[in-house]
Amino acid sequence: MAAWSQLQLQKLKPSPRALIVVKRIGQISSLIRLMLFLKLLLGAYRHVYAYGILGTGNQIYTGIKNIIVRIILKLPSSKAEMAKELAKTRSGLKASLAPDTFPEGIELNGTRSIPEQGHDIEWLRKEFTNLHKLDRGDVEGGRVSGAVYHGGQELSSIINEASANFVISNALHPDVFPGVRKMEAELVSMVVKLFHGDVTGACGTTTSGGTESIIMSVKTHRDWARATKGVKEPEMVVPVTAHAAFWKAAEYFCIKIHTVPVDPVTRQVDPKLMKRFINPNTIMIVGSAPNFPDGMIDRIPELGQLAKRYNVGLHVDCCLGSFIISFAERAGFTEGIPKFDFQVPGVTAISCDTHKYAFCPKGTSVIMYRSKELRRFQFFCKSDWSGGVYASPSIAGSRPGAVLAGAWAVVNHIGIDGYTESAKQIIGAARHFKGELKKRFAADLQVVGDPQLSVIAFSSKTLNIYAVGDRMSKKGWHLNALNQPAGLHMAFTRLTAASVDSLLDDLAAAIKEEKASPEAATGNLVALYGVGQTPAGPVVVEEVALSFLDILYE
Ligand SMILES: *Cc1c(COP(=O)(O)O)cnc(C)c1O
Ligand SMILES: *[C@@H]1O[C@H](CO)[C@@H](O)[C@H](O)[C@H]1NC(C)=O
């Protein structure tokens, strides 16, 4: 700068005043550079403070490793190799997900083009029958973890009748469909009361599912922090066991997300550790009640204290907990279940998936906030839109009244008694499973954490747990695979609660088989998660997972 200024000054022969101005500019520019440097330093300091020297070193190592892997994979030789491997995996995936030909006896005539002449209802019915023949996984027989939470015939007909009644309605137009508005408002109010929000003045909206509820909450806290604290570079802090939807939201909204490890034994996030990740840019912290991977409930009361002390939001993810955790007390299960809802000071938002343990049709969830002021930050309004004044509560514009009617009907039909009974059955089955794992399978399987609700995860020190999962698949079971630690979990539902004993028997058989021939394992889980263990693993797994999404549309 100095040399440049002098050169210019000689050329221009400036007045003394101009000289001062130039000097000022020089000073300001050095000041800006100093500030940028300090900001960088502050960022680095915060990072090392939160992750520790070892953690930061590890991150740098992983980052460099991934860059190198990506470079190596781009080399012509390895690119060809990788393309060959991926093509193999891809065709395997394609054959299993979207085959071109169907098994004997399944005749499907639908095509990828709009038919010239429309088909009649008889044609459609035949197609439906045949499309259902493709279904895999014994859902009705209670062999699929999670996915379908109730499945009873009576409830299905109630949902059908409710939806049929409102099949053409659109919740975007409450003036045209006031009945739908009333049902939606009642549904939200019922859920808010269940989570003790009525006493604190809490409120909420419906959304299309847990992911949208979480995305809305992140957006709401971001806008709240900007408006009330001037946060322009938002950050959020989540336990490693939080749902993937938080990373999705962070990616969509360009929010920096910090992942806090959980205690290896309790599988809960340590509030003292979480505290280290909070800084003036933090908009929110997250706890799960319970989390998806291992069904553990985070220490919500302590997280609430943190949130209050640092004036940040606390989202409690009860997407899965929904009508299980909120009915546990009524069902007689209190030990090991801390307070988790609006009774806890500091909780600012709760997501509850009515399409999980409230047994409502898929496509319904409720996002709740402690106050109406906070909920305001979720809303969108374009008052000068050429299409008229436009205001909408959540991501969707037009919203189906049919699923809202279905959800409203289900909650009204089942009632407090029905949900209490369900919670007894489901938690009862999960605890029976947990107890038996510890009794019968202690030599080979370890329960992850000490889960109290409906999800029980287990890992193994002696066996390849993914191979056990593949063997269970061959027996008709569908368990969820987990990462870090490698494991499997079962989410008990109304359907699976009844089949817990046959699950245990088949698990015993699978373990016996695996011990007899541990090298024989070649299933989907072993294939996918086996790749993950190699150095190129994470990059390759990502590639496979993305081509899986491409295949969905073939
Ligand atoms: C299912 C689930 C979600 C996301 O819900 P979707 O309805 O699948 O979008 C979020 N958090 C937890 C803990 C869940 O189990
Ligand atoms: C599908 O098409 C074949 C041949 O055109 C026909 O014989 C069969 O009845 C059709 N099946 C259905 C379900 O419409």
Side-chain angles (χ1 to χ4, degrees), residues 292-293 465-466 469 478-483 485-489 525 528-529:
F292 173 84
I465 196 72
Y466 299 129
H478 187 283
L479 304 181
N480 296 82
L482 311 168
N483 260 321
L488 298 172
H489 91 201
L525 295 184
L528 185 62
Y529 290 86

Side-chain angles (χ1 to χ4, degrees), residues 140 150-163 359 410:
E140 300 287 332
H150 190 289
Q153 199 47 54
E154 195 206 341
L155 203 68
S156 293
S157 18
I158 284 174
I159 293 172
N160 285 339
E161 194 170 327
S163 323
F359 313 125
V410 167

Side-chain angles (χ1 to χ4, degrees), residues 107-109 122-123 125-127 130:
E107 196 172 64
L108 285 162
N109 289 357
E122 279 316 313
W123 186 91
R125 281 190 188 130
K126 267 198 224 152
E127 282 285 298
N130 279 294

Side-chain angles (χ1 to χ4, degrees), residues 76 294 341 396 514:
D294 47 50
D341 60 17
E514 178 58 22

